[in-house]
Structures are given as C-alpha cells and as structure tokens.
Amino acid sequence: MCNGCNCFSEIREFIKGKESSDLIEILHKTQDLYGYIPKEVVYIISKGIDVPASEIYGVVTFYSRFSLVPKGKYAISVCMGTACYVKGAENLLDEFSNLLGIKVGETTDDLLFSLIETRCVGDCANAPIVTVNDKVYTHVSKTEIRDILAEAKED
C-alpha cells in the first residue's frame, strides 16, 4: 500500500472535503482516472471519507461498472442472454477464453484484451452477439473469432 507518497495524488485531491455519501461519485472518478479501482485507492478512499474498506469493496463488486482489475484496451463482451445462449454463445466465450488464455473477468497480461460475459444487449434477432468496445458483431460463429481478434489489433 502507498503510505504518504504522491502516488494516486489525483484521487487524494478529489476526495478532500468529500463525505461518505459521495462514495459512488468518488468511485466513478477513480474508475475514470485509472480505468479500474486499484486496491491502494480503496484504502485511500476509506481513510479519506471514513468508510470501511469492506463497505467500499461491497459497493465496487455490486456494480458492474466498477472493476478491481485493469481492463484491456479491447473489452470483448459475449452476450449470454437467452437467445444468444441458445445459439451457441457459450462456445464463443470458451473459444475467446482459449485463444486469449484468460477466463471471463480477466485481462491479458499485455492489457490488450479483457473478456466479459454480459446479459442481453437487446439485439436478440441477430444472436449470438459479441461486442468489442463499441463495435457490435452479429450472428457470430466460432470460426469468426480469430478474425474479430485480428481486426481489433489492427485498430
């Protein structure tokens, strides 16, 4: 943990004068600044607004917007809603996992890809759906996954 040093100075400055009721706002700011909620920052926030770290962890793990691990440049989301699941989304998720060498919720060591399991994205007629950041892929088959990864790397 970082005690008294200048690391995380942006969030230290941001929480000055904040109260426990500002926790969600502080977590959003932290996520925006660092791309995730570093454990060191949880303790900085805890001390700064007098909220137990366990309570902060509870909030962070409850809301899917927040992450305790760094996210990759490319967030690969596989919809696991009913329509997508029935049309083979689980196989797609497994293939991404195998090719990237990571499990759902993890990020590759090079911080290039994160693998995310999502619920319905609202395009059931085009199932199964995969998104890479803001790009939507419809009617995805297992044979397209290598191309999707290659295309993301070209961006």
Side-chain angles (χ1 to χ4, degrees):
M1 186 160 60
C2 179
N3 293 320
C5 69
N6 259 348
C7 44
F8 304 115
S9 59
E10 301 96 335
I11 203 65
R12 288 176 191 276
E13 189 62 34
F14 183 77
I15 64 173
K16 285 184 182 174
K18 299 285 187 195
E19 300 176 5
S20 61
S21 60
D22 299 315
L23 178 59
I24 296 291
E25 176 189 2
I26 294 167
L27 292 173
H28 278 290
K29 180 69 171 181
T30 303
Q31 186 85 25
D32 290 344
L33 284 171
Y34 307 109
Y36 72 111
I37 312 290
K39 75 175 181 181
E40 296 87 351
V41 173
V42 169
Y43 295 107
I44 292 168
I45 295 168
S46 174
K47 186 175 178 183
I49 62 171
D50 196 29
V51 171
S54 60
E55 186 175 323
I56 296 170
Y57 277 111
V59 171
V60 170
T61 57
F62 179 79
Y63 292 104
S64 62
R65 161 75 167 95
F66 302 126
S67 174
L68 291 166
V69 294
K71 293 295 179 190
K73 181 178 179 182
Y74 304 104
I76 299 170
S77 298
V78 178
C79 179
M80 296 297 283
T82 303
C84 290
Y85 186 85
V86 167
K87 292 190 176 185
E90 186 173 32
N91 294 330
L92 301 178
L93 197 59
D94 289 344
E95 184 68 8
F96 276 114
S97 179
N98 289 335
L99 290 173
L100 295 171
I102 58 174
K103 295 177 184 171
V104 172
E106 294 181 343
T107 300
T108 56
D109 290 338
D110 60 5
L111 298 179
L112 203 54
F113 294 103
S114 294
L115 186 56
I116 303 160
E117 178 182 321
T118 60
R119 293 293 162 224
C120 186
V121 295
D123 196 8
C124 301
N126 292 309
I129 304 290
V130 170
T131 62
V132 178
N133 294 345
D134 295 328
K135 184 163 184 167
V136 179
Y137 295 87
T138 60
H139 303 288
V140 178
S141 69
K142 199 171 169 181
T143 59
E144 296 174 272
I145 292 176
R146 287 185 190 276
D147 292 338
I148 291 170
L149 293 172
E151 184 179 320
K153 286 182 180 179
E154 290 174 5
D155 283 346

